[in-house]
Amino acid sequence: MDRNFIVSYWNRAAEEIIGVKREELIGKNLWGVFPDAVSLPSYTHYHKVLESGQSITFEDYYDGIWLEVNAYPSEEGITVFFRDISLRKEADKRLLDAFEEKKYHPRTNYRSIRGT
């Protein structure tokens, strides 16, 4: 993307993950195509990359999909790579839920209660 967030490249993987064809995005302002994303961390982080010249990695949630995003400053503006981490986030949640359930509902050792 350039410094005005005009998208210059959108690959097939991005099309599949986000569900937007490149024809709908190339040459257009990112925030014009995704106006609801202005309230997401991506908006803040992309601006921060442009202002600081420093790359950043973060997670974002958009339209039911968890993304791991890597944003880098470039000569034209910003280069972004992202991947779907929804399955990992779901597994993390199940693991945390199982831990919390065990923490608050430990198995009772019936032998120690009976005194045997």
Side-chain angles (χ1 to χ4, degrees):
M1 289 180 283
D2 68 14
R3 299 188 71 72
N4 295 312
F5 298 98
I6 304 300
V7 178
S8 58
Y9 182 76
W10 190 254
N11 66 21
R12 188 168 313 278
E15 287 181 333
E16 292 173 6
I17 292 170
I18 304 297
V20 174
K21 297 287 185 193
R22 66 185 65 155
E23 297 81 28
E24 300 172 49
L25 194 56
I26 300 295
K28 297 181 181 164
N29 179 277
L30 182 70
W31 314 120
V33 176
F34 301 105
D36 50 334
V38 171
S39 63
L40 299 177
S42 293
Y43 184 86
T44 303
H45 290 308
Y46 292 173
H47 280 88
K48 194 178 295 185
V49 169
L50 286 176
E51 293 166 9
S52 71
Q54 301 291 314
S55 62
I56 191 167
T57 299
F58 61 95
E59 294 178 354
D60 207 347
Y61 186 77
Y62 179 76
D63 201 26
I65 302 166
W66 276 103
L67 301 168
E68 179 182 82
V69 182
N70 295 284
Y72 305 91
S74 68
E75 288 184 21
E76 297 81 26
I78 184 172
T79 300
V80 176
F81 298 96
F82 58 85
R83 65 186 180 111
D84 184 346
I85 59 167
S86 298
L87 291 177
R88 186 187 87 202
K89 295 295 275 188
E90 184 179 313
D92 289 349
K93 182 181 181 327
R94 284 196 312 265
L95 186 61
L96 183 59
D97 289 348
F99 173 76
E100 290 297 320
E101 184 175 326
K102 181 145 179 100
K103 180 178 165 184
Y104 292 110
H105 303 288
R107 289 186 183 173
T108 303
N109 183 341
Y110 290 105
R111 264 183 212 211
S112 63
I113 293 174
R114 291 192 326 218
T116 58

